[in-house]
Amino acid sequence: MTAAHSPHPFDAARFAEFLRLHHLPARAEVRSLDDYWAALTWEEREDTGLEPETLAARYAEFLALDGQPDGERALLSLDVLRGRDKSGAPERYDLRFVPGDVVCLVGPTGAGKSRLLADIECLAQGDTPTGRQVLINGVPPGDAERFSGESGLVAQISQNMNFVIDLPVGEFLHMHAESRALTDPAPVVDQVLRAAVAMAGEPFDADTQVTQLSGGQSRALMIADAAFLSPKPVVLIDEIENAGVDRRAALDLFVRKGKIVLLSTHDPLLALSGSRRLVIRHGAVQDVITPGPEEQTMIAHLVEIDARLADLRARLRNGERISSFPA
Amino acid sequence: MRLVTVAGPPSSGKTSLIVRTLLALRDDGLRVGVVKFDCLSTQDAAVFERHDLPALVGISSGFCPDHYFISNIEDCAAWGERLGLDLLVTESAGLCNRCAPHIRGFLAVCVLDALSGVNTPRKVGPMLKTADLVVITKGDIVSQAEREVFAFRVRQVNPRARILFVNGITGQGAWEAARIWRSAPEDGVLQGGRLRFSVPTAVCSYCLGETRIGSDHQHGTVRKIPIPS
């Protein structure tokens, strides 16, 4: 192992960061890996469990990763070509999704919604139980794209997800931004916070601990975070019902950000809001429904009912007595 | 026969992952089995039996579990060969974070639990850093943001590894894990093979059963904590 073979000039700051992440003893003033190894005592070398070769290999990997966080994937279209249902009968539809699509998935538990998502997640190539094939921008992805790093395309938000980290909202968002290697995270963090507060029924700020957020607030934060900070081009929203979040505002946010939204829901307002509904049964897409004029009219009516319910919720929160259903 | 080493902190979901993945491989017609290494006791044998998976259990008890693993892996592999297995998995708890059971030339898997928090990847030692595949469990109950940060931090300490989220309850992701295990290297050499990470060299009086505290009773390789006077 010699520094001469290294493709990178030796950067002391990067090397110090590498040592920190790998729990290796720090050494100031070293100019190469050889220097570093020479500067370690016998006990320290023994403790690292490494040899000069393995240390060099690790450091090379660390440098190769530099500046390559999980990037945003430019997704122009996502095709899911028909497979088979649980009995092996062929599916009737090929599906195409483009940025800004809001597509609902309806069907009973166990119908195959998860399998459809899993097919998208692992970019199935006729090799999953359903036999479906996924195309990215019209072409099959290469193996490298399928089986390297954390290659999934789908961000998920569901009713049973929680924040488990105990940090203030602002710090938490900065931590997420750091993992995206954003050069200037502050404006994005601010954007997420404002969008989340606008969606939530009750306001909160950057100093609120994420673990102290109410159900509605944390759902709103998850949605805003997925819209602005997640690199995933596809967002699955699973059974998010009345959690005190302005659900239509949430959908608009994703549409504006050019995400493909898959909504797994039986909430009438949400289910009718999509541009299409996929009816899933027996492990396959059995039907694709495009809302007609009757359903469009129905939406207006549901929005009205929803607004009245929201008004009732607000009044209850304020401690009022409710004597009549608001007109 | 293919040999896959699986390691991870206690209760991270190793057994669920192994059962789910092996069942998927068995559905594809492979003959599969498992060796469970543990320190004190294990109830996992019953879990494997319930699914008709041939299982061998080793309890290290008064012996260093990592040394125990290394001293027994060859015989366990021979047992798998005798049963005519296509794939044998070893499961071991990451016991002190200092060691890893991963062997050069064999597929190495590390299982981490997303619920344990985003700092975990920075605390876990060689069993994560020397793995080829990192499986993250319980991701279905933490936020998307935390999953992304978790995966990023795994990549920071192990840029080479493939990262996979698997739900041990529903089995989602186990099919993908099975696909990777199926193409694990085959018939690597164990005898004369090498661990990916050395185990500590320590032989002191406490290794040999000494229980009394005090410098008079400390012999062999002893390390002292640096304390400023």
Side-chain angles (χ1 to χ4, degrees), chain B residues 2-73:
Chain B
R2 295 184 165 86
L3 178 70
V4 177
T5 53
V6 176
S11 301
S12 53
K14 296 182 294 296
T15 305
S16 296
L17 166 79
I18 289 171
V19 167
R20 290 274 177 185
T21 309
L22 289 185
L23 293 182
L25 289 167
R26 192 168 65 185
D27 287 346
D28 290 346
L30 266 68
R31 283 157 306 176
V32 293
V34 61
V35 184
K36 165 83 186 186
F37 286 91
D38 220 321
C39 335
L40 298 171
S41 70
T42 179
Q43 283 81 46
D44 292 345
V47 178
F48 297 127
E49 263 163 40
R50 207 167 38 237
H51 295 283
D52 287 330
L53 293 164
L56 194 63
V57 172
I59 302 292
S60 59
S61 136
F63 201 81
C64 160
D66 298 292
H67 288 92
Y68 180 77
F69 172 90
I70 301 157
S71 324
N72 284 289
I73 184 64

Side-chain angles (χ1 to χ4, degrees), chain B residues 29 145 165 191:
Chain B
F165 283 87
Q191 185 163 17

Side-chain angles (χ1 to χ4, degrees), chain A residues 294-322:
Chain A
E294 308 86 351
E295 287 192 0
Q296 300 287 359
T297 320
M298 193 93 97
I299 293 178
H301 193 55
L302 285 168
V303 169
E304 204 178 302
I305 294 175
D306 203 53
R308 283 156 70 186
L309 285 173
D311 180 56
L312 268 180
R313 269 196 293 272
R315 286 170 54 194
L316 284 168
R317 194 178 288 136
N318 291 332
E320 293 176 32
R321 285 184 172 73
I322 308 293

